[in-house]
Amino acid sequence: MAFIAAFWAAGALSSSLVTGPVGPLQANVALTVHSLPDHGWALLASPLWAQNLAGYVWGTALVLTVGLPLERRMGSLKFTLAALGAQILGAGATLGFLAVARGTLGIWADQMSGQLFMGPSALITGAAAAGTATMPTLWRRRIRLVIFAVLMLLALFSGGFADLVRLGAAVAGAFLGPVLLGRPPRLGRPVSSRHEGRVLIALLVAVSAIGPVVAGLVPHAAGPLSVLRFLFTNIQPVDPQTLQGLCTDPAQAKDCAGAQLQMRAGAGGIFMAILPSFLLLLLSDGLRRGRRFAWAATLLIQLALSVLAGITIAGVLQPVTPDTAATEGIGALEASGYAHPLSLVLPLLLPVLLTVVLLMARKLFPVAAPPGTYRRLAARVFAAAGVLGAIYILAGLALAPGFSPMPGPAQLLADLPDRFLPLGYMLDVSPAFFPQTTPAVLLYEGIGVIFWAVAGAQVLRSFLRPAPVRHNAGAERARRILKTQQGSSLSWMTTWSGNSYWFSSTGESFIAYRVITGIALTLGVPVGPEPQWKDAFEEFTRFCTGNGWTPCFYSVTQDLRDYAVSLGWGSVQVAQETLLPLDSVSFKGKKFQDVRTAMNNAARAGIRAKWTTYAAAPFSVQAQIQEISEEWVADKKIPEMGFTLGSLDELDDPDVRLLLAVDGHHRIHAVASWLPVYRSGIIEGWTLDFMRRRNGGFRAGIEFLIASAALSLKAEGYKFISLSGVPLARALQETASGLDRLLDWLGATLEPVYGFRSLLAFKSKFQPRYEPLYMLYPDAAALPAIGNAVTRAYLPSIKLGESLALAGRILRRPRRSRSAGFQLPWSSSSGGCQKK
């Protein structure tokens, strides 16, 4: 409020409210490229003035809507330091960048020489970027992403001096925020889940689509990527002199026609000019939802734009003569200030870069629409095109006097394809006629607009249709066997994506496996009648040998391990399963004190346990679960694991139950998922899988959920719950072989990062029964390949950089710390289980 008072007082006392500072005052308070060194105090004074009355109103609104909430969140002192620091550092960095890069930026830097910056927008932008440091990880990332996406869009496409100042202030604020909170800024690539990765790519595509439109609509846009408006759009202002020059040259008939259309074009013409950007923006919503169709369509558009970019680059790099400049489209580019070939070539490579990104991220978009969706979509789109085409021809004949020259049926039919194409992509022929009257213009422009509006609505509708729970024939058959026969407490994980299925000769048993670098890695024991497990084991081994694979049975029970050892197989304990019989559960006695404390504290806080499924949960509940999970993944700074560890994707199963810790305000504090365990067609127990707790929520949320689930499931008549297996950790020590000691060392090494041993210690408070889980292998010589296969199964999407970062975190771990303060989802204190 003090700043707003000073803002208006400075304008009033200097008589600058209407016209802004002028004369000597402007030279001293307006920030320009030449402010340093003679007018350096403009770095700090420029926020106190605006260029006109609208600037004062806009600046006040910005401070009230953004500044007030930020000050409440950060505190007045930190807010003031962040705003002033970001303003000074950001503006100074911008001036330094322009001074250093003047020789390479060319005309872009020259155009900034006459621009100035005033107003509080950089001040508030920097404070907002700094304020994100006080937010939870997920929201900090999302808000920063939006801030920097908008600012970089304006800087790269519009390219004004003010855009660069605001971007510089935001960068400075992002670094100042953590410093003001007493921690160093975090550098490096953040870790994202699959869902968040889709959002990031969708935002990237959306920015690439909006940017060229901004460059086309902003007068004198000169950003380094503003040249892309000639590729994505055809918004090119044409003055009468240029039009006359084009239309007097017969060789430029097409350019003359396009210029005439643009001069007459209204909103419909502008829409058709930005059609590629409209389609990409539409498809970005499908990318956000993980839709395979949106990925394929976006890839095709980017490939087409890459081809057009290649043609344009070839035209730019070839020698240009006065006779060929305009016909090749180079004259328009040079007239816009792009004189150096590199200033044209490098931006045009953006579609190629986006194509590469989409190809690398193709696994993030597996979601398919219900069968027949896109056949119906194609039929509706073609039907709309046919109906609109007929309307255009019939209405064109009725309105023929409104065109010049008057068209006949043949001319209207020949012109029809151009009505559905953007202005910049018309067929390479000169239009035979032009609309002159208002009805003719509406018809001429409106047909394409209506068609693409209908097509866009149909595409959006396909994205909104719920994706079916699709399984291949093998998965459906395996699920039927699983529900009627017997497996282990981990067998429901065989229904997850990524598994292939082998079925025994009797058809009553199956084994889920995945082949990785020649290793057939299974998950759990064979599923089927228990007397057939041994036969299935031997039959599957022969199947693998016949295909040249090495079988490896992962997370199997003691009985199957003993049988395999009798056949000469090797084994090693890889996990410890924790089972809790429900017939004796009461949580009474001193050994359950922590559990009772969690339940009593939950009752006092008004938190209750609520059963649901992901599909049946309201949208608000699904959104909170996603938020909690994404926040947890972002805080880990390590890749999200798979294989026997479920994520958000595995929650969306009608057979999987969710237990939520919900308070009186419908705020979810923690969530846990439970997988069914079938024995002879009935569910005998449930296995804990997905655990997440909200940062800043009820600390003992996971303890409360597990205890509540045990008591509730006991009342429903179930026999046991499994708290699942804990990799690379064991409570019961057996005679250790060399390989066992190696895995113990590996578990201790990974403890600061993944906290497996802390997880086992956490589960021990429920006094479970421990059952070892083993990995079986036929030949010790295959262990290196098996280790690689297991690693890639748990971390299928890990990149080289993430591997190096993970290794660095392990090597830098504190010697005397078990979890290094790492926030674990099951921990009930801010420091994790280390404090216990």
Side-chain angles (χ1 to χ4, degrees), residues 683-705:
I683 299 177
E684 288 195 346
W686 294 85
T687 298
L688 176 65
D689 176 38
F690 182 92
M691 294 187 294
R692 298 287 190 272
R693 179 176 67 83
R694 183 188 294 276
N695 285 349
F698 180 55
R699 289 185 172 183
I702 300 299
E703 292 101 318
F704 167 68
L705 286 181

Side-chain angles (χ1 to χ4, degrees), residues 420-501:
F420 299 117
L421 293 174
L423 290 181
Y425 299 86
M426 294 186 303
L427 299 180
D428 197 13
V429 293
S430 177
F433 52 89
F434 297 98
Q436 300 293 332
T437 63
T438 299
V441 170
L442 291 176
L443 176 66
Y444 198 77
E445 295 180 356
I447 289 296
V449 174
I450 295 174
F451 170 75
W452 287 110
V454 171
Q458 293 298 321
V459 170
L460 274 181
R461 183 182 178 188
S462 73
F463 295 156
L464 296 175
R465 295 194 66 185
V469 179
R470 298 186 62 182
H471 307 285
N472 55 40
E476 291 287 0
R477 182 181 175 188
R479 189 174 284 243
R480 287 195 298 270
I481 294 175
L482 177 60
K483 288 186 174 182
T484 56
Q485 299 296 338
Q486 182 174 342
S488 69
S489 57
L490 305 182
S491 291
W492 193 260
M493 298 176 184
T494 63
T495 65
W496 293 352
S497 63
N499 290 311
S500 300
Y501 299 94

Side-chain angles (χ1 to χ4, degrees), residues 362-633:
R362 61 188 180 279
K363 293 183 179 179
L364 294 177
F365 307 99
V367 183
T373 296
Y374 293 111
R375 286 195 300 270
R376 291 189 292 271
L377 172 64
R380 290 168 182 161
V381 170
F382 281 115
V387 171
L388 291 172
I391 292 174
Y392 177 69
I393 294 174
L394 295 176
L397 291 175
L399 299 174
F403 292 90
S404 177
M406 185 181 299
Q411 288 79 16
L412 289 169
L413 182 61
D415 183 67
L416 183 59
D418 277 347
R419 296 309 98 230
F420 299 117
L421 293 174
L423 290 181
Y425 299 86
M426 294 186 303
L427 299 180
D428 197 13
V429 293
S430 177
F433 52 89
F434 297 98
Q436 300 293 332
T437 63
T438 299
V441 170
L442 291 176
L443 176 66
Y444 198 77
E445 295 180 356
I447 289 296
V449 174
I450 295 174
F451 170 75
W452 287 110
V454 171
Q458 293 298 321
V459 170
L460 274 181
R461 183 182 178 188
S462 73
F463 295 156
L464 296 175
R465 295 194 66 185
V469 179
R470 298 186 62 182
H471 307 285
N472 55 40
E476 291 287 0
R477 182 181 175 188
R479 189 174 284 243
R480 287 195 298 270
I481 294 175
L482 177 60
K483 288 186 174 182
T484 56
Q485 299 296 338
Q486 182 174 342
S488 69
S489 57
L490 305 182
S491 291
W492 193 260
M493 298 176 184
T494 63
T495 65
W496 293 352
S497 63
N499 290 311
S500 300
Y501 299 94
W502 169 88
F503 296 92
S504 65
S505 57
T506 64
E508 297 179 333
S509 302
F510 77 87
I511 292 176
Y513 69 98
R514 59 188 71 197
V515 179
I516 303 174
T517 62
I519 303 297
L521 185 65
T522 75
L523 177 54
V525 300
V527 178
E530 189 170 3
Q532 297 182 15
W533 283 7
K534 297 177 180 179
D535 293 337
F537 177 87
E538 295 185 12
E539 192 176 345
F540 179 75
T541 300
R542 293 192 295 270
F543 166 74
C544 293
T545 303
N547 285 279
W549 304 330
T550 299
C552 175
F553 287 79
Y554 193 82
S555 292
V556 302
T557 57
Q558 182 76 41
D559 293 343
L560 190 61
R561 179 253 188 182
D562 293 341
Y563 178 71
V565 169
S566 70
L567 298 179
W569 282 53
S571 70
V572 61
Q573 183 179 339
V574 293
Q576 191 92 47
E577 186 177 14
T578 47
L579 295 170
L580 192 62
L582 295 180
D583 55 354
S584 59
V585 165
S586 62
F587 299 124
K588 297 180 179 179
K590 184 176 181 181
K591 59 185 178 181
F592 292 109
Q593 180 177 348
D594 287 347
V595 178
R596 291 198 305 275
T597 299
M599 299 189 71
N600 292 335
N601 289 342
R604 283 193 291 269
I607 295 174
R608 69 187 192 280
K610 180 180 179 181
W611 286 105
T612 185
T613 63
Y614 191 80
F619 175 78
S620 59
V621 171
Q622 293 183 359
Q624 289 191 68
I625 294 174
Q626 291 177 7
E627 177 186 344
I628 293 171
S629 179
E630 298 292 351
E631 187 175 80
W632 180 75
V633 172

